[in-house]
Amino acid sequence: MAATPAPHPQAPPKPTWDPRDPVRPLLRPTIRIRLTLLYGGMFLIAGILLLSIIYVFTAQAVTHNLTELPFKVVTGKVQPTTSWCELPVQGTGEQLNAAVSACLKYQQDKALDDLLRRSLFALLGLSVIAFAFGYAMAGRVLSPLGRITRTARQVAGSDLARRIELDGPDDELKELADTFDEMLDRLERAFTAQRRFVANASHELRTPLAINRTLLEVHLSDPGAPVELQQLGKTLLATNERSEQLVEGLLLLARSDNQIVERKPVDLAEVAERAVDQVYAEAEAKGVEIRGERAPVVVQGNGVLLERIALNLLQNAVRYNVPQDGWVEVTTEAEHGQAVLVVSNTGPVVPAYEIDNLFEPFRRLRQERTGSDKGVGLGLSIARSVARAHGGRISAEPREGGGLVMRVTLPI
């Protein structure tokens, strides 16, 4: 009996309005309003600070230049106080006025240059502060999105018990998080029901088939049974065995569609060797040679399921081969940071447009769904599902001269 899942923590309160309702509260603190207030407030504060700094600098420049004139009047004569202010010792009033105007103009330009330099430094400082403050506030506003992304990644790793449970203002992000949590609830219920169904089906389907096989074997072991009855028993036993293979294949296909949670180091070469040992007798009976070099390459995964990939590919390669002088080549290697299992074989010519159909359940090349003694049509479907569950992929391409080249790529 499946264990009862632990109750989830108390979820945050749901919105008081229906998200599907097109009419929403006007004062709802949406992300648009919050960002508008944030950016508008930052611009207003920065403008006020910049104007205040420029005003202070201007006041300092004007005060400094008015208190320190470039000349002074001494006993009726005008005497320069700086080296850059040149006044005539003797001259007409117009000459003296022109020289004083030039001094004042130089002093004005100097004050403006000083103001511009200080304003640029002030602008640079305010820009640094504004960028730092904007970066911090953007991170604070977008932090719920990071939380949603992390939860989605954990769920992608088959941890359907995770929930976002986002608190905070009732805005678009909280609406998205609540909708995501509801979707996860439905997915968890669906996957739990699927696992329960697989467990029940595994028991309910295997038991009667095992009983049928036992009864048939008992009757076939009777030496006094008529020949017709023995032939019928052998036929029923073969049919029962095919049904068992079908059930096992369907259950394995259902389980392998999910990600592999518990991973262990597995040598792909060792997996291929075990698969070769299991099909060696069948290959020898059909006159098919098994060859190829298998270099050690370790992947993280489930050894039983990986062995199922190699076994299914080898069985297909042996069974769908040429009647004479056939061969199957099995190689393993590391290529571009990935583990690669390649199974090549001689056999009938396979059209390129038939390749994708081979990976569909119950599909065989130029074969019907039933009536074949070569399998139940689930081998390549199971191999593809197991490869996907390990984060890898499987591909096939026709071999020149007939047969196929099956290539399984798995991350190391």
Side-chain angles (χ1 to χ4, degrees):
M1 182 176 180
T4 303
H8 298 299
Q10 184 66 30
K14 300 295 182 182
T16 55
W17 51 274
D18 189 354
R20 296 168 295 183
D21 189 359
V23 181
R24 301 178 178 179
L26 295 178
L27 298 180
R28 177 169 171 253
T30 62
I31 293 293
R32 176 180 293 182
I33 294 178
R34 292 168 59 191
L35 291 178
T36 301
L37 294 177
L38 176 62
Y39 295 148
M42 289 178 58
F43 180 79
L44 180 61
I45 293 175
I48 293 175
L49 289 176
L50 186 60
L51 288 178
S52 301
I53 292 174
I54 292 177
Y55 178 82
V56 172
F57 287 165
T58 304
Q60 291 179 353
V62 171
T63 302
H64 174 73
N65 287 279
L66 288 180
T67 54
E68 296 184 4
L69 295 176
F71 58 86
K72 63 181 178 179
V73 179
V74 181
T75 62
K77 296 182 180 181
V78 178
Q79 180 179 353
T81 58
T82 60
S83 59
W84 47 266
C85 184
E86 297 180 358
L87 298 178
V89 179
Q90 294 180 352
T92 62
E94 293 181 356
Q95 294 176 342
L96 183 61
N97 290 332
V100 170
S101 298
C103 291
L104 294 177
K105 180 65 169 59
Y106 181 86
Q107 189 175 23
Q108 179 183 2
D109 293 340
K110 183 181 178 182
L112 291 177
D113 292 341
D114 183 65
L115 177 62
L116 178 61
R117 184 175 64 256
R118 294 189 179 187
S119 299
L120 290 177
F121 282 119
L123 179 61
L124 179 61
L126 284 177
S127 299
V128 173
I129 296 175
F131 277 112
F133 183 75
Y135 182 81
M137 295 307 299
R140 182 177 179 84
V141 172
L142 297 178
S143 59
L145 287 179
R147 184 173 175 180
I148 295 175
T149 302
R150 289 190 297 271
T151 304
R153 288 175 179 172
Q154 292 171 348
V155 171
S158 299
D159 187 7
L160 293 177
R162 300 289 301 181
R163 297 294 182 271
I164 301 175
E165 298 178 353
L166 186 66
D167 50 5
D170 189 13
D171 54 14
E172 293 91 342
L173 293 180
K174 190 173 187 303
E175 176 188 350
L176 174 62
D178 293 340
T179 304
F180 193 77
D181 285 342
E182 293 177 0
M183 180 187 68
L184 291 180
D185 288 335
R186 297 184 62 182
L187 285 176
E188 186 179 20
R189 290 195 297 268
F191 277 99
T192 301
Q194 181 191 20
R195 287 192 294 266
R196 188 182 300 112
F197 169 77
V198 170
N200 294 335
S202 175
H203 175 73
E204 297 295 335
L205 294 177
R206 287 172 176 170
T207 301
L209 291 175
I211 294 175
N212 290 340
R213 183 179 70 251
T214 303
L215 293 176
L216 290 172
E217 290 175 349
V218 169
H219 284 289
L220 289 176
S221 63
D222 184 7
V227 178
E228 295 81 3
L229 184 59
Q230 289 187 356
Q231 184 63 35
L232 177 61
K234 291 179 180 180
T235 303
L236 293 176
L237 188 62
T239 303
N240 192 84
E241 182 180 359
R242 186 178 180 278
S243 299
E244 289 180 337
Q245 294 177 0
L246 177 60
V247 170
E248 291 292 339
L250 289 173
L251 295 177
L252 180 61
L253 182 61
R255 290 195 299 266
S256 61
D257 277 336
N258 298 326
Q259 292 288 327
I260 305 300
V261 179
E262 296 182 0
R263 298 173 180 261
K264 297 180 180 179
V266 179
D267 188 352
L268 198 59
E270 183 181 354
V271 168
E273 289 290 349
R274 289 200 299 265
V276 169
D277 293 339
Q278 295 181 55
V279 301
Y280 184 79
E282 183 179 357
E284 188 176 16
K286 292 181 175 292
V288 177
E289 177 190 2
I290 299 180
R291 64 192 188 189
E293 297 182 0
R294 290 170 282 280
V297 54
V298 178
V299 299
Q300 298 293 327
N302 185 293
V304 176
L305 293 179
L306 291 177
E307 183 179 341
R308 175 64 66 173
I309 292 181
L311 182 60
N312 288 351
L313 296 182
L314 278 170
Q315 287 177 341
N316 284 343
V318 170
R319 295 171 182 175
Y320 297 94
N321 214 302
V322 294
Q324 294 180 350
D325 299 328
W327 54 262
V328 176
E329 186 175 62
V330 185
T331 62
T332 58
E333 60 180 347
E335 182 179 301
H336 305 298
Q338 293 182 320
V340 180
L341 168 67
V342 180
V343 179
S344 307
N345 69 288
T346 54
V349 177
V350 181
Y353 58 82
E354 290 276 4
I355 296 296
D356 292 338
N357 294 334
L358 296 178
F359 291 95
E360 297 298 326
F362 306 107
R363 296 293 296 272
R364 305 185 193 90
L365 183 62
R366 294 184 292 274
Q367 294 285 344
E368 300 296 333
R369 289 172 59 95
T370 60
S372 173
D373 60 348
K374 296 182 179 180
V376 295
L378 289 172
L380 293 182
S381 300
I382 293 173
R384 182 177 61 178
S385 296
V386 174
R388 287 178 176 175
H390 285 80
R393 59 186 298 268
I394 181 172
S395 60
E397 60 182 12
R399 196 186 70 86
E400 185 178 357
L404 289 173
V405 177
M406 309 295 296
R407 184 182 182 89
V408 181
T409 305
L410 300 170
I412 296 180

